[in-house]
Amino acid sequence: MTSRNMMILSALCACLSAGADEVVVQRYNYAGPYEVQKPFIADSLNVKGEKFADKVLLNTDIPFINLSQSGQTLDASANGELTLPGSGAPYALHLVSFFLNSDRYTQGTLSVKGPEISEVYVDGKPLTLKQGEASLTLEPRRYEVVVKYLSEGNQTATLKASFSSEEEAIVTATTNPEKRYTLTDVMEGKRIQSVSLSPSGKMLIVSYQTTFPGGKQTSRSQIIEKATGKILSDSERSLEWMPKSDLAYFTRKGMEGTELVTLDPIAGKENVLVRNLPEGMPRFSPTEDFLLLSVREEGPKEREELQQILVPDDRQPGWRTRVFIHKYDLKTGVCQRLTYGHTSTYINDISRDGRYLLFSCREPKLTERPFSRTSLYKMDLRTLQVETIFKSEKFVNRALFSPDGKQLLVNGSGEAFDGIGLNIKKGQTSNMGDGQLFLCDVDGKNIRPLTKDFNPAVTASAWNAADGQIYLMAEDKDYVRLYSINPSNGAIKQLQGKEDVVADFAMAANAPELVYYGESASNSQRLYSYNLKSDASTCLIDLSKDILKDVTLGEVKDWNFVSAYGDTIYGRYYLPPHFDANKKYPLIVNYYGGTSPTERTMENRYPSHAYAAMGYVVYIIQPSGATGFGQEFSARHVNAWGKMTAEEIIEGTKKFCKEHTFVDAKKIGCIGASYGGFMTQYLQTKTDIYAAAISHAGISDITSYWGEGYWGYSYSALASANSYPWNNPEMYTKQSPLFNADKINTPILFLHGTVDTNVPVGESIQMFTALKLLGKETAFVQVEGQNHHILDYDKRIMWSNTIFAWFAKWLKDQPEWWDALYPPKSL
């Protein structure tokens, strides 16, 4: 046994009293004494009509962090009574504290019998006691209890604290600051939002968002000197780099209109470049002598009470707004319109010499998948003469100039350019979410696929002028990695990054410099510089260190199996902290939603470490249809709707339980969102191995979802390619869980935002209704005012607690949390 485990065991033993349901505190942290003095009494009464009393001295602020910094502990007697330190001073304040930890949701009584002049705080909030006692509800996490008391002279006092639980919970009282990973660790604290490098690569802009307890958020941008880490600028402004000068720029409201301002980070000087900038999103030319503005134009409006929907996308707010490109000359102030019409035009790139603009249009074509066509154009910005590179191309997204302007890097899916990038089996249809890259001449000819035989799915790319290499970010199984491509021979090389999942990367415009940030399965965000010559990463910013302070995590292990179809199905699993292989643990199974794999991120919709910290083993499986495993694998998602994927999830769950004897095979839960919510429902029509299931924003009827949600028909271009209710009714009905509701025996919880525009709430309503009519065990909780993702701080906490409580009820036989959230009601 390690010394750390021995310390935890001794703390456990020390805090237990004779009764298993009562914990008597035996050891405390201590900080003090802090001498205080009576204030000058100007009047006999204060503004509330109260006389001064010694208890007023308790209002003196003392940081509770002093307790962890002092390193002092106090031991109580065998019966739990602690003699409190006094002070030789007439008056002094003291802090004593301990931590309460519960293995489950429980309600009980906190008893603190101590000095007459004292206050009790739980997690920094004052607690009102009556006759030394207060009701306290514990969720399965750590709570800090602090007693602040006043001593007079050498007067002594005693303290005895205990917690009595109403349920059969294991509650410990300890001075060990160790805590389990919880939802607040996921939601609160500082996170990187974006990063960019100056043209020389010597400085970087890092934009942060900080979320405080309660949900308030702030945003800041810092300019940091890369070599030293020195912060050169720190402000609330949103900053960007000029394309060739090491100057940052931003916009602000001025006396004459919108000002465009440059900032010299070294000198700390600002310069107003434009005093009355026209409306629009500005983008500097590489030559820094003009701007391109993306200007929004409002489309025709309907009456509020009645609106004619022109096309399915017209239901979306702002769909009729169009975007057009203008050129603003910084020397003359002339703003020239470059594009005009009914269809929006989008800036793709500007050549390095500033002469050519690459822009695109996307026009709807609802009668043919993928329901839109992309045209790409090159404009000579001197003459405004336009060349068509390609017209009405399917499955193409955007393009970039090569540094010399002679080639284009095109992003799309395998079916682009008549399918020259496809690498699938005969009879399959490509998964449009599997990103691919193509290289062609600037006239749109001599197109060749760059990633056809590259299994990872491309998510972002950039062409570096300093070394001529293409750099990209791609899903590689459940990782997101960085790669480089040599455009001359197509050779692909993996960069040796330090994180499992890269969130974003940035390159210097004029130097072979790269920075990236990301997270891994067991750490939060860290930001790195990357030496392209030595393939070495240097950590510049480590946010994870503060986020995970005092947190103990369980192990994460890879576990793959060979399916009945002969494929290796990848996965991983999370163990609870202080895992004991001789115990039996309930299991939670999670799988992908949409079509991307369930990545190895620590912070996500269902943070696996938070579930593991509550005593669950969590198994993440990457079944057929996920991107990042090659085009053939991801194509299995298309026109399947559960076929093969469900079989693999069931097979993987059974094999995982058989191989891992610490799993209680009778206590297995499963959870998924969106397409994963569909999969939760569909699985229950195929098996009874799950003791509880949760579907968030899940699709129950493919026929209603297909035409109902904002993106239902467009997602179906991927998942139901060329299949419609009128030409493939068998798939739309037989694969829909709603048409198989009578086969479900597993208790299912449906969770859904009431204003979900992706998967409308009716998908949960109709399935819940069906199961109710069938007399099946089910529950349905609507999250008011939330869309496809639950983003509101308070609502996300309640939503997550609902999930935790449902699993506790069915996988741990602990219904108390669920009953507290949703008390039984007579109908």
Side-chain angles (χ1 to χ4, degrees):
M1 181 178 291
T2 66
S3 59
R4 181 178 179 83
N5 286 340
M6 289 181 67
M7 179 177 68
I8 294 167
L9 181 61
S10 64
L12 254 168
C13 295
C15 71
L16 294 177
S17 68
D21 61 344
E22 183 183 20
V23 176
V24 177
V25 182
Q26 296 285 0
R27 176 171 291 176
Y28 297 81
N29 291 311
Y30 172 75
Y34 302 94
E35 184 178 345
V36 291
Q37 296 175 339
K38 286 185 177 183
F40 170 70
I41 310 297
D43 299 291
S44 59
L45 301 177
N46 67 7
V47 294
K48 296 181 180 179
E50 300 168 334
K51 290 184 178 181
F52 177 83
D54 289 349
K55 67 179 181 180
V56 174
L57 297 175
L58 283 174
N59 296 333
T60 305
D61 288 331
I62 302 175
F64 289 175
I65 196 173
N66 291 4
L67 285 158
S68 61
Q69 294 175 345
S70 75
Q72 299 180 72
T73 58
L74 303 173
D75 289 321
S77 63
N79 68 355
E81 192 170 89
L82 173 69
T83 300
L84 292 169
S87 170
Y91 294 98
L93 290 173
H94 311 253
L95 300 176
V96 291
S97 71
F98 58 92
F99 298 104
L100 283 178
N101 289 277
S102 177
D103 72 327
R104 59 184 284 180
Y105 178 93
T106 185
Q107 296 175 322
T109 300
L110 176 66
S111 173
V112 180
K113 304 293 177 66
E116 181 180 351
I117 303 178
S118 63
E119 293 175 335
V120 178
Y121 298 82
V122 177
D123 285 349
K125 298 179 181 179
L127 183 69
T128 301
L129 285 80
K130 292 184 179 181
Q131 296 182 338
E133 294 184 345
S135 297
L136 188 64
T137 298
L138 301 183
E139 295 175 2
R141 64 177 179 87
R142 187 194 75 178
Y143 293 81
E144 183 180 31
V145 180
V146 176
V147 180
K148 181 180 181 182
Y149 70 91
L150 180 73
S151 66
E152 299 183 29
N154 291 313
Q155 172 187 338
T156 61
T158 60
L159 173 70
K160 184 174 182 179
S162 65
F163 180 81
S164 300
S165 174
E166 296 177 6
E167 285 80 36
E168 295 180 1
I170 298 176
V171 179
T172 62
T174 177
T175 56
N176 185 351
E178 178 190 53
K179 64 179 183 179
R180 67 184 75 201
Y181 188 66
T182 66
L183 189 64
T184 55
D185 298 309
V186 181
M187 297 172 59
E188 296 174 1
K190 182 189 289 187
R191 299 297 189 280
I192 299 170
Q193 297 297 297
S194 64
V195 60
S196 59
L197 271 172
S198 65
S200 69
K202 295 179 180 179
M203 294 177 286
L204 62 153
I205 295 173
V206 184
S207 296
Y208 299 97
Q209 184 178 75
T210 301
T211 303
F212 298 92
K216 181 183 177 181
Q217 294 182 327
T218 61
S219 297
R220 301 194 69 83
S221 292
Q222 291 182 343
I223 299 179
I224 301 172
E225 190 173 53
K226 187 159 67 69
T228 64
K230 180 181 178 182
I231 298 174
L232 304 176
S233 172
D234 187 352
S235 72
E236 296 179 358
R237 300 186 183 112
S238 177
L239 301 173
E240 295 187 55
W241 289 113
M242 298 282 281
K244 69 175 184 179
S245 308
D246 273 10
L247 300 176
Y249 72 91
F250 59 91
T251 59
R252 69 185 178 198
K253 186 176 181 180
M255 296 298 292
E256 300 174 38
T258 300
E259 293 181 342
L260 180 65
V261 185
T262 62
L263 170 65
D264 184 335
I266 303 296
K269 293 183 179 180
E270 296 180 358
N271 176 49
V272 180
L273 201 61
V274 180
R275 294 193 180 277
N276 189 12
L277 184 70
E279 290 187 12
M281 183 70 67
R283 173 169 173 169
F284 267 96
S285 70
T287 50
E288 296 187 357
D289 55 352
F290 66 87
L291 302 171
L292 290 183
L293 301 174
S294 294
V295 181
R296 296 165 60 90
E297 296 182 10
E298 298 290 335
K301 295 183 178 180
E302 302 274 352
R303 294 173 297 176
E304 290 185 3
E305 59 270 23
L306 293 173
Q307 180 181 349
Q308 179 189 7
I309 303 298
L310 302 178
V311 295
D313 286 344
D314 194 17
R315 297 167 55 214
Q316 301 182 35
W319 178 83
R320 296 189 183 190
T321 300
R322 299 293 185 261
V323 179
F324 298 99
I325 307 169
H326 295 62
K327 178 186 175 184
Y328 181 86
D329 188 280
L330 289 168
K331 183 177 181 180
T332 65
V334 174
C335 190
Q336 165 75 52
R337 186 184 187 113
L338 301 183
T339 60
Y340 178 87
H342 179 268
T343 305
S344 292
T345 50
Y346 302 101
I347 299 170
N348 282 219
D349 202 5
I350 310 170
S351 61
R352 283 180 61 81
D353 60 7
R355 179 164 182 177
Y356 296 103
L357 164 66
L358 197 64
F359 70 96
S360 61
C361 301
R362 177 166 291 186
E363 298 179 281
K365 187 169 183 180
L366 296 178
T367 57
E368 184 180 2
R369 177 177 169 270
F371 309 132
S372 66
R373 299 288 185 94
T374 299
S375 297
L376 186 68
Y377 304 95
K378 184 180 77 168
M379 176 184 287
D380 187 328
L381 291 171
R382 296 179 184 174
T383 65
L384 301 195
Q385 186 175 5
V386 174
E387 297 178 24
T388 301
I389 297 174
F390 51 74
K391 183 76 172 174
S392 299
E393 189 67 47
K394 297 186 291 184
F395 305 104
V396 167
N397 298 323
R398 300 179 71 83
L400 298 173
F401 280 118
S402 62
D404 62 8
K406 295 180 180 179
Q407 291 181 298
L408 299 177
L409 180 66
V410 183
N411 171 272
S413 59
E415 292 176 89
F417 307 116
D418 296 322
I420 62 172
L422 287 176
N423 187 0
I424 57 178
K425 291 181 179 179
K426 185 177 180 180
Q428 284 187 315
T429 301
S430 174
N431 184 328
M432 290 164 48
D434 202 319
Q436 303 294 316
L437 292 178
F438 303 83
L439 194 64
C440 66
D441 295 337
V442 74
D443 58 4
K445 297 179 181 178
N446 300 317
I447 303 170
R448 63 184 174 97
L450 286 176
T451 53
K452 178 178 180 178
D453 299 313
F454 179 62
N455 282 339
V458 178
T459 58
S461 57
W463 206 324
N464 185 251
D467 61 10
Q469 301 295 294
I470 296 168
Y471 291 88
L472 60 104
M473 194 164 70
E475 295 172 339
D476 179 21
K477 302 181 179 65
D478 55 352
Y479 294 80
V480 176
R481 306 186 195 271
L482 293 173
Y483 300 86
S484 66
I485 300 180
N486 187 329
S488 62
N489 58 20
I492 300 178
K493 171 188 172 184
Q494 180 184 324
L495 275 60
Q496 301 305 308
K498 292 290 187 181
E499 298 298 336
D500 291 348
V501 177
V502 175
D504 200 5
F505 74 102
M507 307 202 70
N510 303 318
E513 298 285 339
L514 183 148
V515 292
Y516 69 93
Y517 71 95
E519 58 185 284
S520 295
S522 296
N523 66 265
S524 187
Q525 288 184 341
R526 296 187 286 219
L527 184 145
Y528 302 82
S529 63
Y530 190 88
N531 189 311
L532 295 172
K533 294 181 180 179
S534 64
D535 284 334
S537 293
T538 301
C539 185
L540 303 178
I541 297 173
D542 184 357
L543 299 182
S544 185
K545 185 177 180 180
D546 289 335
I547 293 169
L548 298 182
K549 184 178 183 295
D550 295 331
V551 172
T552 298
L553 301 173
E555 288 187 271
V556 181
K557 298 184 178 183
D558 292 333
W559 186 79
N560 311 322
F561 72 94
V562 177
S563 73
Y565 292 98
D567 300 300
T568 297
I569 302 300
Y570 290 80
R572 63 185 185 276
Y573 63 96
Y574 297 71
L575 294 173
H578 311 298
F579 169 74
D580 182 353
N582 296 314
K583 291 178 60 177
K584 288 285 189 180
Y585 294 90
L587 175 70
I588 295 175
V589 182
N590 183 215
Y591 26 78
Y592 71 82
T595 190
S596 291
T598 307
E599 295 172 347
R600 302 176 72 92
T601 52
M602 186 169 197
E603 300 167 352
N604 50 48
R605 190 195 316 238
Y606 304 123
S608 296
H609 276 296
Y611 290 85
M614 293 184 181
Y616 298 99
V617 174
V618 181
Y619 171 40
I620 307 294
I621 183 173
Q622 313 288 359
S624 287
T627 53
F629 296 83
Q631 291 189 55
E632 188 279 325
F633 194 87
S634 67
R636 300 176 189 177
H637 184 82
V638 184
N639 285 316
W641 287 98
K643 288 181 179 177
M644 194 174 188
T645 303
E647 295 175 43
E648 290 168 350
I649 295 173
I650 294 168
E651 183 182 5
T653 302
K654 290 179 177 179
K655 287 184 174 179
F656 185 87
C657 293
K658 184 176 181 180
E659 186 172 316
H660 301 93
T661 56
F662 50 78
V663 170
D664 185 346
K666 295 182 179 180
K667 296 293 184 181
I668 309 172
C670 61
I671 187 170
S674 195
Y675 179 86
F678 158 84
M679 188 54 63
T680 289
Q681 299 177 41
Y682 183 77
L683 281 168
Q684 312 322 309
T685 71
K686 297 294 181 181
T687 183
D688 290 334
I689 65 171
Y690 299 103
I694 297 178
S695 167
H696 172 71
I699 301 161
S700 64
D701 182 1
I702 311 169
T703 62
S704 56
Y705 165 73
W706 165 82
E708 195 176 17
Y710 278 4
W711 301 282
Y713 81 96
S714 56
Y715 174 71
S716 293
L718 183 159
S720 312
N722 299 316
S723 292
Y724 304 96
W726 54 86
N727 69 5
N728 195 353
E730 183 172 345
M731 183 191 79
Y732 275 81
T733 54
K734 287 191 175 180
Q735 297 307 116
S736 291
L738 182 64
F739 288 80
N740 298 278
D742 58 323
K743 300 172 184 174
I744 294 177
N745 298 306
T746 307
I748 300 183
L749 167 64
F750 296 95
L751 293 164
H752 223 122
T754 58
V755 293
D756 192 331
T757 54
N758 187 349
V759 179
V761 67
E763 291 300 309
S764 287
I765 292 172
Q766 59 190 354
M767 193 62 175
F768 171 73
T769 302
L771 294 179
K772 276 295 184 181
L773 295 179
L774 288 165
K776 304 297 177 103
E777 187 70 56
T778 186
F780 175 37
V781 175
Q782 296 184 142
V783 189
E784 191 66 35
Q786 293 296 283
N787 206 308
H788 201 51
H789 295 272
I790 310 303
L791 301 178
D792 177 86
Y793 180 91
D794 291 329
K795 291 175 182 177
R796 186 176 177 188
I797 291 175
M798 292 186 287
W799 171 77
S800 296
N801 284 344
T802 299
I803 293 172
F804 300 150
W806 183 259
F807 279 145
K809 176 179 179 177
W810 295 102
L811 303 185
K812 292 186 172 183
D813 298 320
Q814 297 171 4
E816 294 84 8
W817 201 351
W818 180 265
D819 291 342
L821 290 173
Y822 306 101
K825 304 175 184 69
S826 58
L827 302 178

